[in-house]
Amino acid sequence: EEVGGAEFFSIEEDFMEKYGVRPEVFVDVKALMGDSSDNIPGVKGIGECAFAQRPIISAEIPDSVKFIGDFAFGECTELESIRIPDSVEYIGTAAFQCCEKLKSVTVPSSVKSIGEVAFGYCESLEDVNIMGGDTRIGMKAFIKQADCVMPQA
């Protein structure tokens, strides 16, 4: 429902359907994207463990991002889809490790390096498209079949 230009959602599912995330993580999404209302540009990279173990269903990484850090989306077990823009040059170690519901990923030609076990243990991952011919792929970047355990900080 829209009142005076502001949107209100009566049910959490309505919010999730529109934005692909639960309301409690929406601030994190806006921080990534940048927000024209506050004149703050989007981030240049997604840091280590930034969204690890969060209840994210889908993620559209903004065009300002150049790297996805180690374990950035590690153990996001509900993550079903991810869009990696042409601006990304590096995907870190275990960046999407144990994203058990992730079914497909397209790695744009701009990515020069995919870290070790970057998409490791993504049990549902069946469709991988790596668009660049000179992308360095780390060991076990797409390995399956193991128990998922996040490293302790």
Side-chain angles (χ1 to χ4, degrees):
E1 176 180 345
E2 194 167 319
V3 177
E7 282 187 276
F8 295 91
F9 296 89
S10 57
I11 302 174
E12 184 174 316
E13 288 81 24
D14 291 342
F15 187 91
M16 288 178 58
E17 183 177 324
K18 179 164 182 159
Y19 294 106
V21 296
R22 293 189 177 134
E24 63 267 20
V25 298
F26 189 66
V27 170
D28 295 331
V29 173
K30 293 298 281 183
L32 267 178
M33 293 171 34
D35 190 346
S36 60
S37 68
D38 59 13
N39 292 318
I40 296 175
V43 297
K44 297 295 180 201
I46 300 173
E48 183 176 315
C49 298
F51 296 98
Q53 300 177 328
R54 295 291 191 103
I56 298 169
I57 295 170
S58 67
E60 185 168 327
I61 297 173
D63 293 334
S64 63
V65 171
K66 294 193 177 292
F67 68 90
I68 301 169
D70 297 348
F71 309 103
F73 291 88
E75 260 186 56
C76 287
T77 57
E78 298 301 311
L79 185 66
E80 295 175 2
S81 66
I82 184 84
R83 184 190 78 82
I84 301 172
D86 290 335
S87 58
V88 172
E89 298 173 0
Y90 172 78
I91 298 173
T93 298
F96 296 94
Q97 174 181 294
C98 300
C99 292
E100 297 168 355
K101 293 185 179 179
L102 188 63
K103 295 178 183 156
S104 69
V105 65
T106 297
V107 178
S109 60
S110 59
V111 174
K112 300 302 176 206
S113 179
I114 300 172
E116 294 182 11
V117 295
F119 294 91
Y121 318 115
C122 295
E123 296 298 325
S124 298
L125 189 60
E126 295 178 2
D127 186 21
V128 177
N129 295 301
I130 301 173
M131 307 309 283
D134 60 346
T135 302
R136 182 187 111 18
I137 301 172
M139 288 179 52
K140 301 181 180 181
F142 297 95
I143 193 170
K144 290 188 177 184
Q145 300 174 343
D147 292 331
C148 293
V149 178
M150 284 291 292
Q152 299 299 312

